Amino acid sequence: MRDVAIIGTSQTKFGELWDSSFRQLISEAGLGAMEDANLSGSDLEAMFVGNMSAGLFVGQEHIAALISDSMGMNPIPCTRVEAACASGGLALRQGIMAVASGYHDVVVSAGVEKMTDVVDATPAIATASDQEWEAQQGATFPSLYAMIAKRHMYEYGTTREQLAMMSVINHKNAANNPNAQFPFEISVDKLLASSSVADPLTLLDCSPVSDGASAIVICAAERAKEFTDTPIYVKASAQSSGTIALHSRKDITTLDATVAASRKAYDMAGLTVKDIDATEVHDCFSINGLLAIEDLGFAPKGEGGKVLEEGQTNIDGDCPINPSGGLKARGHPLGATGIAQAAEIVWQLRGEAGKRQVDGAEIGMTHNIGGTGGTCAVHIFGRDLN
Amino acid sequence: MRDVAIIGTSQTKFGELWDSSFRQLISEAGLGAMEDANLSGSDLEAMFVGNMSAGLFVGQEHIAALISDSMGMNPIPCTRVEAACASGGLALRQGIMAVASGYHDVVVSAGVEKMTDVVDATPAIATASDQEWEAQQGATFPSLYAMIAKRHMYEYGTTREQLAMMSVINHKNAANNPNAQFPFEISVDKLLASSSVADPLTLLDCSPVSDGASAIVICAAERAKEFTDTPIYVKASAQSSGTIALHSRKDITTLDATVAASRKAYDMAGLTVKDIDATEVHDCFSINGLLAIEDLGFAPKGEGGKVLEEGQTNIDGDCPINPSGGLKARGHPLGATGIAQAAEIVWQLRGEAGKRQVDGAEIGMTHNIGGTGGTCAVHIFGRDLN
């Protein structure tokens, strides 16, 4: 297996982007990452694109062909990967495998979602749950995660204020991210006073409906210095599946897929959770950010709320989480999220994250979830190869 | 790059399968391939599934998690790949790269589509074309391929009867395929007298709307003999992109993506078209089978019709095409097709194809198209590694 590096990154602004079409967003991100990597078109050998549901959001499948065409990249292979909100993380993994295998030397892994062209995004998002056993019975994602939150509060005494801290910290970081959808701070009081969505979750516990795209350039490590002085290396790429439906789980307060993928990633990298300097976790709802803190190993089970409350996950804390602002405040264009997380970690490890920089970050991790944990991708990156 | 072998295959019956759900079909095929490879569940390390549009056909995205769950395979990674009707071919390619890279030793690549749960499949299928510039203007796939057929007839004098021969030969082969949707013969006269769909194409020029699934097991070549005495080796895996819209092409009678992918595949395998003993081509419409014969190099441009008429593509001809019955007569559950093609070639190379066996087949090829040629995957398989 060949070593693999990241040599370029790009992200569009995330938000309600009425003036940008699906193909414009992905072209801006894809070509932006190539420019960041000092690539010419003829250097690029393949593309992998994460997207959850262009079919339901913009009436377009076969988006890989559309993207290759729109970016002027024909005839190189372009492949769409889908795993609900983990689509980006899996596109990243496919790009890594394509380079590790020797099939390709230089590829783009990208993600895109254009969600605001439909009147109501919720039914499309609900297709990430078990359609027959969850969605058709009326369950939506806020309601599924609300059940997890209720159970976590019941089992472990997690407080409403602790949950709120996940969003508050995200917003604080996003205030320093020019690409964020909501670049401003919020308070616990403001969150608790916002409209109820699915009790106990309020509006400000929930990530938004977003348009946006992100892309990175992946390269064989042995060739990375041809393109950049600051390659970032892939130390682990791991993926796991969990049950798609909540009712099939022994314990709904643990995402087994996160536990399995992260343990595999630590093994691959030869690292432990204590070695990680900055992490982007999948906080589609505040409770999911809290679960990630526990399931990745930053806190014992049941103590995620305490870790948040104590400030350990702040940019200057012991285990900085979501310096980008996370899904809550950077925005969550579903298929783009896994790639945007990787782009943020690359910026952190290059020392290019400006006012949201984690000082001296050398090892970073991304955690990307599909559905309520049916899919999980965990990646670990480092400034050095070994 | 490690060498890769196919050690197991399976295909459900293709057809209007009212009694089988999406998850039943893929589980039957996936577990069937594992049984064929003498695998236990703990041997399997990952799955890749091709599917065009479960979102539009059955209201379910995130199908990889659903499939891993339904097959009892959690927590192994399961990844969905989409490229319209080439989804299966790309899932095959992702599985090959996953094993070639060393990330995994034993994986399943599968494909599935459940198309008969919607009243009209045509609008969903149309999302494989350029939604903004083709589908929204009223173009459907039969009309796009009808334009290609008209132009081919005008440019090269191809006759209506020559086109019909593609379907006639497919049906003759399907009569010996117990998994085929239409296992019976038709005549040129019957085809010409069938209802017009989009002039010059009639009903019997068009592949059907189908339910079905297929799966194969891919293994590191060095471990293949642990599981089977008759491994079939992957000699080439190539993929190319063409323009998604017809109007962007210099010449609509050539699919550039087929030409590019097949030339790359021949190079990888160190073979020429003359070395291929049996081929499965993507005949979603009769004209597309004819184009494939030309673009893959079995006939000079413009002479595909002549080659069909002369019987060269019959099972006992110089270049046997679609011994399975092809998309037209075996059936075309979109995401399953690319895998079903590979399964057929594996059966042919193992000498297990019964009355549709191509005598002494040692090298086989599959050709899988998305849309009108926006994506093409070409794979070459052999009984021997070198």
Side-chain angles (χ1 to χ4, degrees), chain A residues 1-2 21 23 48 52-53 55-56 58-66 68-69 74-84 90 93-94 96-98 100-104 124 127-133 234 236-237 239-245 248 260 264 268 370-375, chain B residues 1-2 21 23 48 52-53 55-56 58-66 68-69 74-84 90 93-94 96-98 100-104 124 127-133 234 236-237 239-245 248 260 264 268 370-375:
Chain A
M1 201 184 320
R2 297 201 298 178
S21 69
R23 65 189 86 193
F48 298 88
M52 174 174 165
S53 195
L56 294 168
V58 294
Q60 178 75 64
E61 306 282 10
H62 203 195
I63 60 160
L66 182 83
S68 170
D69 207 359
N74 291 338
I76 68 167
C78 187
T79 302
R80 174 199 176 184
V81 178
E82 186 269 323
L90 269 55
R93 187 168 150 83
Q94 297 314 115
I96 290 168
M97 288 200 287
S101 68
Y103 263 82
H104 298 293
T127 64
S129 68
D130 189 318
Q131 183 62 215
E132 291 172 23
W133 294 96
V234 177
S237 172
Q239 177 189 339
S240 280
S241 305
T243 73
I244 188 167
S248 304
K264 193 163 178 182
M268 283 184 79
T372 53
T375 305
Chain B
M1 200 185 320
R2 297 201 298 177
S21 69
R23 65 188 87 192
F48 298 87
M52 173 172 163
S53 195
L56 294 168
V58 295
Q60 178 76 63
E61 306 282 11
H62 204 193
I63 60 161
L66 182 83
S68 170
D69 208 0
N74 290 340
I76 68 167
C78 187
T79 302
R80 175 200 178 184
V81 177
E82 186 269 323
L90 269 56
R93 186 168 150 82
Q94 297 315 115
I96 291 168
M97 288 199 289
S101 68
Y103 263 81
H104 299 294
T127 65
S129 68
D130 189 318
Q131 183 63 215
E132 292 173 23
W133 293 96
V234 177
S237 173
Q239 178 189 339
S240 281
S241 305
T243 72
I244 189 167
S248 304
K264 192 164 180 184
M268 283 183 80
T372 53
T375 304

Side-chain angles (χ1 to χ4, degrees), chain B residues 207-277:
Chain B
S207 59
V209 168
S210 314
D211 302 326
S214 185
I216 62 173
V217 182
I218 301 172
C219 178
E222 68 217 37
R223 289 193 54 197
K225 291 273 171 87
E226 288 176 34
F227 301 102
T228 178
D229 295 330
T230 54
I232 299 300
Y233 297 95
V234 177
K235 299 180 91 70
S237 173
Q239 178 189 339
S240 281
S241 305
T243 72
I244 189 167
L246 270 195
H247 62 242
S248 304
R249 301 186 192 169
K250 283 192 301 260
D251 168 14
I252 64 169
T253 66
T254 296
L255 300 196
D256 289 344
T258 298
V259 175
S262 59
R263 297 317 178 268
K264 192 164 180 184
Y266 297 144
D267 278 355
M268 283 183 80
L271 297 170
T272 74
V273 66
K274 291 190 199 312
D275 297 311
I276 311 295
D277 299 318

Side-chain angles (χ1 to χ4, degrees), chain B residues 142-164:
Chain B
S143 70
L144 292 168
Y145 275 107
M147 284 193 277
I148 296 175
K150 282 255 186 198
R151 188 72 197 176
H152 203 278
M153 294 166 85
Y154 173 80
E155 291 269 357
Y156 302 110
T158 299
T159 67
R160 193 62 200 78
E161 288 74 14
Q162 286 173 334
L163 268 183

Side-chain angles (χ1 to χ4, degrees), chain A residues 282-307:
Chain A
H282 195 94
D283 61 301
C284 47
F285 298 92
S286 54
I287 178 62
N288 208 22
L290 189 150
L291 292 191
I293 289 167
E294 297 176 355
D295 295 340
L296 292 169
F298 291 111
K301 183 58 33 192
E303 297 186 20
K306 187 162 153 266
V307 163

Side-chain angles (χ1 to χ4, degrees), chain A residues 10-13 17-32 58 66-67 69-71 111-114 117 211-214, chain B residues 132-133:
Chain A
S10 180
Q11 190 205 306
T12 68
K13 173 92 180 153
L17 307 177
W18 306 107
D19 292 336
S20 298
S21 69
F22 179 89
R23 65 189 86 193
Q24 284 172 316
L25 287 169
I26 184 66
S27 298
E28 180 187 335
L31 297 171
V58 294
L66 182 83
I67 290 166
D69 207 359
S70 301
M71 285 176 59
V112 57
E113 210 82 46
K114 175 74 183 165
D117 281 0
D211 303 325
S214 186
Chain B
E132 292 173 23
W133 293 96

Side-chain angles (χ1 to χ4, degrees), chain B residues 302-338:
Chain B
E303 297 186 20
K306 188 161 154 269
V307 162
L308 280 165
E309 202 168 43
E310 291 172 356
Q312 294 183 39
T313 64
N314 293 356
I315 280 184
D316 58 359
D318 287 345
C319 55
I321 299 276
N322 287 4
S324 71
L327 282 57
K328 171 64 195 84
R330 180 191 52 213
H332 182 29
L334 313 173
T337 285

